[in-house]
C-alpha cells in the first residue's frame, strides 16, 4: 500500500502544504509505487508512506537509493533536502533486506509532479462568485462520560467531497482505535460513521486524538489525513473529599475573636473550573456544642474563632464535623464529611495556690542544713510545664539568710530548710511570709482583678538547747609591724559561752600555723611570737598570715575562729637581681634589667641604678621608667660572660651592691645563645678573664720586661744603685696593642725576687694555658727590687711594689713577692692599655 497527498485549493489544504503529499497511486504492490507530489518539496517533508510489512515482514535493513530521501521503519518517506522537481517525474528505489533469511526486495518509487488544473470558467451570465462548502475538515466531536448507551453509539460522521466522483472507503486510527486503549471507537468503511463501543470515564481519559482517512478501492488517497478530536464531557460523578479524614489544629487559649485556627482543603476529581468542582464548606456540628466557638469560610475553608472565651482548663479539645459540597453548595451537589480536631494550647493564666493559709514548724537552735517544712500547691495549668511548675520565695522574715526555700522537682512542693544556725537567746520564734509563682510569666490576658502572687505565712519556733562556745566574730584581724621580734605578745582570739556570756572555762588551741610563728596561751587565747614576723615570707598572702583558733568548753564542745595577722610593710629588703642578662648583637645592642623588690609598693620603685667607675668605662646603664633600666655597651665587646658591679636603690634609698652577670652573644634571641660547656665553666671559675688584646699586651709586656731587666742588669753593673730604671720607665715601655690574640688563663704563678744584697730580683712567671690553643708559656725574668714605680690605677700618686707588698712582709722576706702582690700592681696598668677589645671580669 502507498499513501500520497493531493494538494487542494481550500484554506485547510494550504495550511497543510508543508506536511505533505497528495496522492498515492498503487501499481503492482512491492514492485512499483507512484506518488503525486508538489513540484517543490521542503526538507523533512513527509512524501508518503509505504506498507513495508506486506513486502517483507522481517526487514533488517531499509535503504534509499537516493540520498535526498530517507525511509523510516514504519515506511514513512521524508525528504532530507529542499527539492524542486524540474522534470515531470523522479524515481528511486527502496531496498529491503532480511539478513537471516537472506532475502532482498527492491521497490521502485516514482514521484510525479502534480499538474494544476485550470478552473472552470464562469458563465458569462454569472454576476457573483459561488463557493461550495468543504466537508473534509476537522469537526468538533464530544461524548458524555459514563454514557448509558445503547452501544455501539454513533457519535460523528466524516465525509469526503470526492465521494461524488469516486467510491470512497473510510478508516480511522489512533489511541482508542488501534492504539492503547484499543477498541473504544470504530468507523463504518462505506458511510464514515464513527461509533463508540462502551462508556468512558473522563477522569481516566479526557479526550482522544484520532486521524481519519479516505481512500479509493485501488488505493488512491484523494484527501489529507483528517485529525479528529473526541472530547469526553464531564459528568458530576465524583464527590469532593477532604485530603485527610482526621485533621488536627491547635490554637492558644484566651485568643482573640477572629483568630485563624487553620484551613481545610478538599479535592474533587471532576473537571476543574466548572460547577462540578465549585466547593463549599460548612460546619455541621461542634463537640461540645455550647457555646459555639468556631466558624468556617464557605469558599476558602479557613476556620476562625468567634469568641475570646476559649479556656483550656474548662475544655482542652473541640471536635468539628465538617461538610464539603460541590455544585456551589447546591442541595443536589455531591458532598462528603470530615472530622477536624482543635486542641487548645495552655498559657499561664492560673496562679499556684497553697493548700493551707498558714503553716507551723519548729527547729532546735544552732542546727543547719535541716529540712523543717514542706508546703503543697495546686495549679490548674498544664502539669509539668513552666506554666504549672512553682517557684517559691521568702518575702519577709529571712533578713539574715537563715532560711532557704526550694522546689521539689518531683512533687512541686515547697521545701523549707535552715541553712544558718538560729539562736534561741535572740529569737524564740520567727514568722516568714512565703509566696508562690510559676516559672513562666503570668499571662497578660489574665483578669486584672486576679492577684499576681499567692502568699502564706510560716511560723518557725526555735527550741532552746545547751550549746557550746561561740566564736564571734568568725574572723578577727590583728595588725602587726613587719619584722616584729620573737617573744612579743599580741592580743589573741576570744570566744564566748552564750549561756554565761563570758570566756571563763574555755581552752584555746591553734591550727593551721604553717610557719609556726606563734604560740597561744591556752587560758587567755593571747599570742606570743616564736619567730620574727616577715611580710615577705612565702606563707604570707596579700600581707596576711592566717591560722585558726579552736575554743573548747569543759564538755568538749567547740567553735573555730580565724585569726588574720595583717603585716604592715617595712622597708627591710633592697632591690634584687633575679636573672642573667643576654645581649644578642644580631638583634639589638642592649638588655633590659628588671630588678625585684620584695617589699610593698610603698617601699619599692622608682629605683636608682649605678655602675662603678671602672664598669662605666665600657657600659652605660639608663633608667627607663623607674622600674627597669637599659644596659648598653659603649663599644662592641667580645662575645663572652661579663660581671658588672651595680648598685640599685629603692625610693627610700635602701640599696644593695650586686654583681650582674651579662652574656654577650652572637644570637637573635637569648635562648639561641649557646657556648661550649668547658668555656662556660672556665669563665665562671677563673679569677681572671683575659681577652686577646690583654694576652697580646702581656706577650709584648714580657718582651719589654726582658729588655728592662737586661737594661737594669747593665745599669747595675755600672752603678751601685738599687734603682733599676726610672719611675716612668714602665709606662714608657708598656705597649698598647689593638691586635686581638687568643685568650689565656693564668693557672698558677710565682714571682721570686733575690735577696737585698744581690740588687737584682729573679722573677719567674708561669703563664697558664692560652684560651683555646693549649699553648703553655713560661717566662723568667729578673727585676731590681725597690725603686720601681708605676702609675697607680687608683688615681693620683705613685705606687711601688714595696708599698703594695706591705712593710711587715718586707722585714721577714725581703727577697720574695707573692703573685697577688704582682697581680694587684701590674694588672690594672696592663688592662687599661688592652681593655678596648675585652673587659677583665672577676667572678
Amino acid at each position: 500500500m502507498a499513501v500520497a497527498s493531493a494538494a487542494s485549493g481550500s484554506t485547510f489544504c494550504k495550511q497543510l502544504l508543508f506536511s505533505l503529499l497528495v496522492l498515492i497511486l498503487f501499481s503492482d504492490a512491492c514492485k512499483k509505487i507512484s506518488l503525486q507530489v508538489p513540484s517543490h518539496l521542503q526538507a523533512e517533508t513527509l512524501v508518503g508512506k509505504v506498507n513495508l510489512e506486506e513486502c517483507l515482514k522481517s526487514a533488517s535493513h531499509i535503504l534509499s537509493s537516493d540520498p535526498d530521501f530517507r525511509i523510516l521503519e514504519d515506511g514513512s518517506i521524508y525528504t532530507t533536502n529542499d527539492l524542486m522537481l524540474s522534470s515531470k517525474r523522479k524515481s528511486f528505489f527502496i531496498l529491503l533486506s532480511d539478513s537471516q533469511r537472506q532475502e532482498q526486495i527492491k521497490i521502485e518509487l516514482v514521484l510525479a509532479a502534480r499538474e494544476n488544473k485550470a478552473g472552470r470558467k464562469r458563465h458569462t451570465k454569472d454576476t457573483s462568485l459561488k463557493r461550495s462548502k468543504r466537508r473534509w475538515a476537522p469537526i468538533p466531536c464530544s461524548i458524555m462520560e459514563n454514557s448509558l448507551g445503547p452501544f455501539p453509539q454513533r457519535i460523528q460522521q466524516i465525509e469526503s467531497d470526492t465521494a461524488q466522483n469516486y467510491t470512497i472507503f473510510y478508516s480511522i486510527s489512533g489511541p482508542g482505535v488501534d492504539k492503547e486503549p484499543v477498541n473504544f471507537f470504530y468507523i463504518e468503511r462505506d458511510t464514515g460513521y464513527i461509533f463508540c463501543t462502551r462508556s468512558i470515564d473522563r477522569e481516566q481519559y479526557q479526550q482522544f486524538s484520532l486521524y481519519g482517512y479516505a481512500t479509493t478501492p485501488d488505493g488512491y488517497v484523494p484527501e489529507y489525513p483528517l485529525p479528529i478530536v473526541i472530547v469526553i464531557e464531564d459528568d458530576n460523578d465524583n464527590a469532593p473529599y477532604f485530603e485527610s479524614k482526621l485533621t488536627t489544629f491547635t490554637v492558644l487559649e484566651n485568643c482573640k475573636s477572629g483568630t485563624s485556627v487553620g484551613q481545610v482543603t478538599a479535592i474533587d476529581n471532576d473537571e476543574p473550573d466548572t460547577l462540578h468542582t465549585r466547593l463549599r464548606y460548612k460546619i455541621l456540628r461542634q463537640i461540645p456544642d455550647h457555646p459555639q466557638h468556631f466558624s468556617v469560610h464557605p469558599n476558602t475553608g479557613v476556620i476562625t474563632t468567634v469568641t475570646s472565651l476559649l479556656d483550656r482548663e474548662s475544655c482542652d479539645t473541640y471536635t468539628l464535623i465538617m461538610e464539603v459540597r460541590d455544585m456551589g453548595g447546591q442541595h443536589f451537589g455531591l458532598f462528603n464529611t470530615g472530622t477536624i480536631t482543635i486542641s487548645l494550647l495552655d498559657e499561664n493564666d492560673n496562679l499556684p495556690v497553697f493548700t493551707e493559709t498558714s503553716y507551723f514548724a519548729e527547729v532546735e537552735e544552732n542546727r543547719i542544713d535541716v529540712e523543717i517544712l514542706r508546703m503543697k500547691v495546686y495549679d490548674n495549668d498544664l502539669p509539668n510545664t513552666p506554666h504549672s511548675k512553682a517557684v517559691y520565695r521568702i518575702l519577709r522574715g529571712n533578713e539574715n539568710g537563715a532560711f532557704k526555700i526550694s522546689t521539689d522537682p518531683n512533687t512541686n512542693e515547697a521545701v523549707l530548710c535552715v541553712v544558718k544556725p538560729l539562736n534561741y537567746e535572740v529569737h524564740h520564734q520567727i514568722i516568714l511570709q512565703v509566696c508562690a509563682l510559676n516559672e513562666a510569666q503570668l499571662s497578660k490576658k489574665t483578669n486584672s482583678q486576679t492577684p499576681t502572687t499567692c502568699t502564706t505565712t510560716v511560723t518557725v519556733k526555735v527550741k532552746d538547747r545547751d550549746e557550746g562556745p561561740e566564736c564571734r566574730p568568725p574572723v578577727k584581724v590583728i595588725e602587726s609591724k613587719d619584722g616584729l621580734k620573737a617573744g612579743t605578745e599580741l592580743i589573741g582570739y576570744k570566744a564566748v559561752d552564750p549561756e554565761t556570756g563570758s570566756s571563763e572555762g574555755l581552752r584555746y588551741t591553734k591550727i593551721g600555723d604553717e610557719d609556726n610563728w606563734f604560740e597561744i596561751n591556752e587560758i587567755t587565747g593571747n599570742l606570743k611570737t616564736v619567730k620574727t614576723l616577715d611580710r615577705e615570707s612565702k606563707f604570707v598572702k596579700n600581707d596576711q598570715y592566717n591560722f585558726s583558733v579552736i575554743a573548747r568548753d569543759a564538755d568538749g564542745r567547740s567553735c573555730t575562729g580565724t585569726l588574720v595577722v595583717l603585716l604592715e610593710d617595712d622597708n627591710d629588703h633592697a632591690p634584687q637581681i633575679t636573672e642573667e642578662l643576654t645581649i644578642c648583637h644580631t638583634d639589638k645592642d642592649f638588655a633590659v634589667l628588671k630588678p625585684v623588690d620584695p617589699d610593698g609598693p610603698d617601699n619599692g620603685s622608682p629605683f636608682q641604678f649605678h655602675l662603678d667607675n671602672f664598669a662605666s668605662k665600657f657600659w652605660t646603664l639608663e633608667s627607663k621608667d623607674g622600674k627597669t633600666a637599659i644596659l648598653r655597651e659603649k663599644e662592641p665587646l667580645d662575645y663572652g660572660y661579663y660581671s658588672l658591679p651595680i648598685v640599685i636603690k629603692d625610693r627610700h634609698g635602701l640599696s644593695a651592691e650586686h654583681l650582674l652577670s651579662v652574656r654577650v652573644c652572637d644570637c637573635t634571641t637569648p635562648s639561641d645563645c649557646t657556648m661550649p660547656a668547658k668555656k662556660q665553666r672556665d669563665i665562671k671559675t677563673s679569677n681572671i678573664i683575659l681577652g686577646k688584646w690583654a694576652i697580646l699586651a702581656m706577650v709584648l709586656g714580657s718582651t719589654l720586661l726582658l729588655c728592662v731587666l737586661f737594661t737594669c742588669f747593665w745599669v747595675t753593673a755600672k752603678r751601685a744603685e738599687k734603682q733599676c730604671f726610672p719611675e716612668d720607665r714602665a709606662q714608657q715601655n708598656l705597649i698598647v696593642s689593638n691586635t686581638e690574640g687568643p685568650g689565656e688563663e693564668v693557672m698558677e704563678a710565682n714571682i721570686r725576687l733575690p735577696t737585698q744584697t744581690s740588687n737584682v730580683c729573679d722573677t719567674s712567671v708561669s703563664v697558664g694555658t692560652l684560651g683555646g690553643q693549649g699553648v703553655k708559656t713560661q717566662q723568667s725574668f729578673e727585676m731590681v727590687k725597690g725603686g720601681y714605680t708605676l702609675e697607680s690605677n687608683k688615681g693620683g700618686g705613685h705606687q711601688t711594689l714595696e708599698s703594695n707588698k706591705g712593710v711587715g712582709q718586707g722585714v721577714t722576706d725581703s727577697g720574695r713577692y707573692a703573685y697577688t702582690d704582682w697581680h694587684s700592681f701590674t694588672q690594672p696598668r696592663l688592662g687599661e692599655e688592652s681593655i678596648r677589645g675585652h673587659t677583665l671580669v672577676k667572678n
Side-chain angles (χ1 to χ4, degrees):
M1 290 286 295
V3 180
S5 61
S8 173
S10 65
T11 304
F12 175 73
C13 293
K14 290 181 180 179
Q15 293 176 348
L16 299 177
L17 181 61
F18 297 102
S19 66
L20 146 145
L21 301 179
V22 188
L23 179 58
I24 296 180
L25 189 58
F26 179 78
S27 174
D28 196 5
C30 299
K31 290 185 178 181
K32 185 177 182 179
I33 299 175
S34 299
L35 298 177
Q36 286 190 352
V37 297
S39 59
H40 178 247
L41 295 175
Q42 292 184 347
E44 299 299 325
T45 300
L46 178 63
V47 176
K49 187 174 182 181
V50 178
N51 191 347
L52 301 179
E53 292 183 357
E54 292 185 0
C55 300
L56 187 61
K57 291 186 177 180
S58 57
S60 57
H61 294 86
I62 304 174
L63 301 174
S64 172
S65 62
D66 191 335
D68 291 334
F69 300 89
R70 60 186 177 92
I71 315 299
L72 303 184
E73 292 181 355
D74 61 351
S76 300
I77 305 170
Y78 284 86
T79 59
T80 58
N81 302 301
D82 290 343
L83 297 177
M84 182 66 71
L85 301 181
S86 58
S87 61
K88 297 298 182 181
R89 300 174 66 86
K90 180 178 178 63
S91 64
F92 62 94
F93 294 93
I94 300 175
L95 303 177
L96 305 178
S97 62
D98 186 349
S99 59
Q100 294 182 355
R101 297 183 181 182
Q102 300 297 324
E103 295 181 11
Q104 186 173 356
I105 296 177
K106 181 185 293 185
I107 303 173
E108 183 182 6
L109 188 64
V110 180
L111 302 181
R114 179 180 55 81
E115 294 182 1
N116 294 328
K117 297 180 180 180
R120 181 176 60 87
K121 293 182 179 180
R122 291 182 295 166
H123 195 273
T124 56
K125 292 183 179 180
D126 291 341
T127 59
S128 62
L129 295 174
K130 292 184 179 180
R131 182 179 180 182
S132 60
K133 184 177 181 180
R134 258 302 265 182
R135 289 181 292 177
W136 189 257
I139 54 177
C141 181
S142 64
I143 58 174
M144 181 66 68
E145 70 167 325
N146 303 323
S147 175
L148 299 179
F151 297 103
Q153 181 182 2
R154 189 172 69 182
I155 58 175
Q156 189 55 272
Q157 181 187 20
I158 61 175
E159 188 176 4
S160 173
D161 295 335
T162 60
Q164 299 175 2
N165 303 321
Y166 304 96
T167 298
I168 298 298
F169 293 155
Y170 299 98
S171 62
I172 57 175
S173 66
V177 182
D178 54 357
K179 295 181 180 179
E180 289 294 335
V182 298
N183 299 328
F184 274 29
F185 306 96
Y186 71 90
I187 189 171
E188 286 186 347
R189 187 183 68 168
D190 298 328
T191 62
Y193 285 112
I194 301 174
F195 291 88
C196 179
T197 62
R198 68 191 75 173
S199 63
I200 302 174
D201 186 6
R202 190 207 67 84
E203 285 69 47
Q204 189 176 7
Y205 306 107
Q206 284 77 33
Q207 67 179 22
F208 295 89
S209 297
L210 309 178
Y211 280 94
Y213 304 96
T215 60
T216 61
D218 57 358
Y220 175 70
V221 181
E223 301 286 0
Y224 285 107
L226 179 66
I228 303 171
V229 178
I230 302 176
V231 178
I232 310 301
E233 294 184 358
D234 183 44
D235 182 25
N236 190 22
D237 58 341
N238 291 278
Y241 60 93
F242 290 100
E243 287 184 309
S244 177
K245 284 294 183 181
L246 180 62
T247 305
T248 301
F249 296 117
T250 58
V251 66
L252 189 65
E253 67 171 329
N254 301 319
C255 63
K256 296 180 180 180
S257 177
T259 300
S260 176
V261 178
Q263 182 179 16
V264 293
T265 56
I267 298 175
D268 195 324
N269 291 326
D270 289 325
E271 187 174 1
D273 301 323
T274 64
L275 192 60
H276 297 164
T277 55
R278 190 175 301 169
L279 307 181
R280 294 294 181 267
Y281 300 92
K282 181 170 64 174
I283 297 177
L284 299 179
R285 184 183 177 192
Q286 172 187 300
I287 303 172
D289 57 355
H290 185 77
Q292 192 71 28
H293 291 297
F294 306 97
S295 66
V296 63
H297 193 284
N299 296 330
T300 63
V302 176
I303 302 174
T304 57
T305 60
V306 295
T307 179
S308 60
L309 301 178
L310 289 172
D311 186 9
R312 191 203 65 83
E313 288 72 38
S314 299
C315 179
D316 60 353
T317 303
Y318 291 89
T319 302
L320 303 180
I321 307 299
M322 294 191 64
E323 175 192 273
V324 57
R325 187 183 293 266
D326 61 14
M327 302 300 291
Q330 302 279 346
H331 66 279
F332 51 81
L334 302 179
F335 67 92
N336 229 321
T337 60
T339 302
I340 311 299
T341 301
I342 301 176
S343 299
L344 300 187
L345 299 177
D346 183 46
E347 69 173 1
N348 189 23
D349 56 345
N350 293 277
L351 285 172
V353 179
F354 288 100
T355 57
E356 299 181 20
T357 57
S358 62
Y359 296 87
F360 177 82
E362 61 182 9
V363 63
E364 290 184 352
E365 65 173 335
N366 297 323
R367 292 196 64 185
I368 60 173
D369 298 329
V370 58
E371 178 183 320
I372 62 174
L373 182 64
R374 281 180 173 260
M375 295 173 284
K376 293 184 178 181
V377 295
Y378 64 89
D379 195 320
N380 289 329
D381 289 321
L382 192 64
N384 299 320
T385 65
H387 299 160
S388 61
K389 290 182 178 180
V391 177
Y392 302 95
R393 295 176 183 173
I394 301 176
L395 300 180
R396 287 198 299 269
N398 192 34
E399 286 75 12
N400 63 348
F403 299 92
K404 174 186 174 183
I405 193 167
S406 59
T407 305
D408 188 327
N410 298 321
T411 63
N412 206 31
E413 294 176 325
V415 181
L416 184 64
C417 299
V418 177
V419 294
K420 290 184 179 180
L422 300 176
N423 194 339
Y424 174 81
E425 287 72 25
V426 178
H427 297 289
H428 294 324
Q429 73 174 16
I430 300 173
I431 299 177
L432 304 175
Q433 186 178 22
V434 180
C435 74
L437 301 170
N438 290 123
E439 291 182 358
Q441 187 177 2
L442 188 66
S443 174
K444 297 180 180 179
K445 301 175 185 177
T446 307
N447 191 340
S448 58
Q449 298 180 354
T450 303
T452 57
T453 59
C454 178
T455 61
T456 188
T457 58
V458 179
T459 302
V460 181
K461 180 180 178 182
V462 182
K463 297 195 302 183
D464 186 24
R465 72 168 186 173
D466 189 10
E467 52 193 340
E470 293 182 354
C471 294
R472 292 182 295 176
V475 179
K476 183 177 180 180
V477 179
I478 301 175
E479 294 184 357
S480 175
K481 290 185 177 181
D482 185 14
L484 189 66
K485 301 300 181 181
T488 306
E489 290 190 359
L490 298 174
I491 297 176
Y493 195 91
K494 297 291 184 181
V496 179
D497 188 342
E499 303 296 335
T500 62
S502 67
S503 301
E504 295 182 3
L506 301 181
R507 295 294 181 264
Y508 300 93
T509 58
K510 66 181 180 69
I511 58 174
D513 187 2
E514 295 180 314
D515 201 21
N516 195 27
W517 280 11
F518 302 97
E519 64 180 20
I520 190 168
N521 190 309
E522 183 182 9
I523 297 175
T524 63
N526 291 334
L527 304 176
K528 179 184 287 188
T529 58
V530 179
K531 298 180 179 179
T532 300
L533 305 188
D534 184 9
R535 175 189 164 278
E536 287 72 31
S537 171
K538 65 179 181 179
F539 301 100
V540 176
K541 308 295 182 183
N542 298 324
D543 300 341
Q544 297 178 358
Y545 182 80
N546 303 337
F547 65 97
S548 299
V549 175
I550 299 177
R552 289 185 174 86
D553 60 12
D555 296 330
R557 292 170 295 192
S558 64
C559 68
T560 303
T562 301
L563 267 176
V564 177
V565 180
L566 183 61
L567 296 173
E568 180 183 353
D569 185 33
D570 186 23
N571 190 20
D572 55 349
H573 292 82
Q576 304 292 326
I577 298 175
T578 60
E579 60 181 353
E580 180 184 77
L581 299 185
T582 300
I583 297 178
C584 290
H585 278 176
T586 306
D587 181 32
K588 51 190 177 182
D589 61 345
F590 67 90
V592 180
L593 176 62
K594 299 178 181 179
V596 177
D597 194 333
D599 293 325
D602 294 337
N603 296 315
S605 59
F607 301 124
Q608 297 178 18
F609 304 88
H610 301 283
L611 287 171
D612 69 350
N613 294 333
F614 184 71
S616 61
K617 295 180 180 180
F618 310 101
W619 304 87
T620 62
L621 189 62
E622 177 185 357
S623 177
K624 184 178 180 181
D625 52 6
K627 296 181 180 179
T628 59
I630 304 298
L631 179 66
R632 280 191 175 91
E633 307 163 273
K634 285 189 174 180
E635 293 184 6
L637 301 178
D638 293 338
Y639 300 143
Y641 283 86
Y642 297 87
S643 296
L644 305 182
I646 184 173
V647 176
I648 306 177
K649 296 181 180 180
D650 61 16
R651 65 166 59 194
H652 298 299
L654 183 63
S655 64
E657 183 175 354
H658 306 279
L659 196 60
L660 176 63
S661 179
V662 182
R663 184 172 55 168
V664 179
C665 190
D666 182 14
C667 58
T668 303
T669 60
S671 60
D672 296 337
C673 182
T674 58
M675 296 179 66
K678 183 177 183 306
K679 187 174 181 180
Q680 293 187 23
R681 288 197 300 270
D682 292 343
I683 292 172
K684 290 183 177 295
T685 58
S686 62
N687 292 326
I688 301 174
I689 298 177
L690 299 179
K692 52 189 177 181
W693 294 104
I695 294 172
L696 180 60
M698 291 184 66
V699 173
L700 295 176
S702 298
T703 305
L704 289 175
L705 188 58
L706 289 175
C707 295
V708 171
L709 291 176
F710 178 77
T711 305
C712 291
F713 179 77
W714 183 77
V715 172
T716 303
K718 296 284 187 177
R719 299 168 56 186
E721 297 179 5
K722 294 183 180 180
Q723 181 176 358
C724 296
F725 42 81
E727 289 183 346
D728 59 347
R729 182 65 55 88
Q731 288 186 354
Q732 293 174 2
N733 291 329
L734 287 178
I735 299 175
V736 178
S737 173
N738 291 330
T739 303
E740 192 170 355
E744 81 176 274
E745 286 186 351
V746 178
M747 303 300 295
E748 64 177 277
N750 293 321
I751 302 175
R752 294 177 297 167
L753 299 176
T755 59
Q756 182 72 25
T757 58
S758 64
N759 295 330
V760 177
C761 34
D762 183 8
T763 304
S764 296
V765 179
S766 178
V767 182
T769 302
L770 295 178
Q773 296 183 1
V775 179
K776 196 166 186 181
T777 303
Q778 185 173 5
Q779 294 184 11
S780 298
F781 51 88
E782 292 182 351
M783 179 177 174
V784 177
K785 179 181 177 183
Y788 173 58
T789 62
L790 291 175
E791 184 179 355
S792 173
N793 63 346
K794 300 295 184 179
H798 288 74
Q799 190 176 14
T800 69
L801 282 173
E802 290 287 338
S803 62
N804 283 339
K805 180 177 180 184
V807 178
Q809 288 183 338
V811 175
T812 59
D813 190 2
S814 60
R816 182 176 297 273
Y817 290 90
Y819 170 72
T820 54
D821 299 331
W822 173 257
H823 179 270
S824 61
F825 180 76
T826 62
Q827 194 66 24
R829 292 152 182 80
L830 294 176
E832 291 177 357
E833 299 297 333
S834 61
I835 200 61
R836 183 174 185 85
H838 194 74
T839 301
L840 296 180
V841 179
K842 295 181 180 180
N843 290 329

